[in-house]
């Protein structure tokens, strides 16, 4: 989902300094979120925490797309970015735990390449859509992509590990 700054300025009428402040606050909150990730993953497990935070971010993406004021849009943007990026360390940790150490270099390179291609294509297509005045289409496509990704993450990896709470109960009864 590229071009949030364009959306804020063209659709919600924000100035450059307002957008800069929102981006700075959002980045600071994401740093705080990264410190919460270990606790979240200990409760739910890495795959479940990732799926949960990605799905939880979708209502804020929708709110941002439908916002008519910069205040509502910036709140939704910050909440969405916080929740979506909260899962970043968890998914990376899960990936590394499932990949043979000898193959991690290739796997990281491959995943980074695929991610870069997807980001490049979505940036281009989102930019075309916004240049034609359709600011809502990229948000809708992003919501569908997040739902599919979170659903696949949960379905494929929910049992890859047991959350800490379940492990503790098993250990207490052993």
């Amino acid at each position: 989902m590229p071009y949030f700054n364009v959306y804020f300025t063209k659709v919600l009428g924000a100035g450059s300094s307002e957008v800069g402040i929102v981006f700075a606050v959002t980045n600071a909150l994401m740093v705080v979120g990264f410190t919460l990730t270990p606790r979240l993953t200990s409760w739910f497990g890495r795959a479940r925490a990732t799926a949960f935070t990605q799905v939880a971010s979708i209502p804020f993406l929708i709110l941002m797309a439908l916002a008519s004021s910069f205040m509502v849009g910036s709140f939704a943007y910050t909440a969405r970015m916080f929740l979506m990026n909260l899962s970043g360390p968890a998914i990376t940790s899960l990936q590394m735990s499932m990949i043979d150490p000898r193959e991690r270099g290739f796997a990281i390179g491959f995943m980074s390449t695929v991610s870069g291609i997807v980001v490049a294509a979505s940036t281009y297509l989102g930019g075309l859509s916004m240049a034609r005045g359709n600011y809502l289409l990229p948000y809708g496509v992003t919501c569908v992509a997040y739902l599919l990704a979170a659903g696949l993450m949960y379905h494929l990896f929910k049992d890859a590990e047991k959350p800490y709470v379940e492990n503790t109960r098993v250990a207490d009864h052993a």
Side-chain angles (χ1 to χ4, degrees), residues 33-55:
F34 292 151
T35 65
L36 300 174
T37 301
R39 173 66 59 196
L40 189 65
T41 58
S42 72
W43 288 335
F44 301 109
R46 293 172 290 192
R48 292 173 187 200
T50 298
F52 171 75
T53 58
Q54 288 179 350
V55 169

Side-chain angles (χ1 to χ4, degrees), residues 124-137:
Y124 176 71
L125 295 172
L128 286 178
S129 176
M130 289 180 163
R132 292 187 173 116
N134 189 346
Y135 292 94
L136 294 179
L137 180 63

Side-chain angles (χ1 to χ4, degrees), residues 114-158:
V114 170
S115 177
I117 291 169
V118 170
V119 167
S122 68
T123 301
Y124 176 71
L125 295 172
L128 286 178
S129 176
M130 289 180 163
R132 292 187 173 116
N134 189 346
Y135 292 94
L136 294 179
L137 180 63
Y139 287 92
V141 170
T142 301
C143 287
V144 170
Y146 285 167
L147 279 172
L148 289 173
L152 281 171
M153 169 64 65
Y154 182 80
H155 178 72
L156 296 174
F157 300 106
K158 70 180 182 287

Side-chain angles (χ1 to χ4, degrees), residues 9-22:
T9 57
K10 298 276 187 186
V11 176
L12 300 180
S16 297
S17 62
E18 294 170 312
V19 173
I21 290 169
V22 168

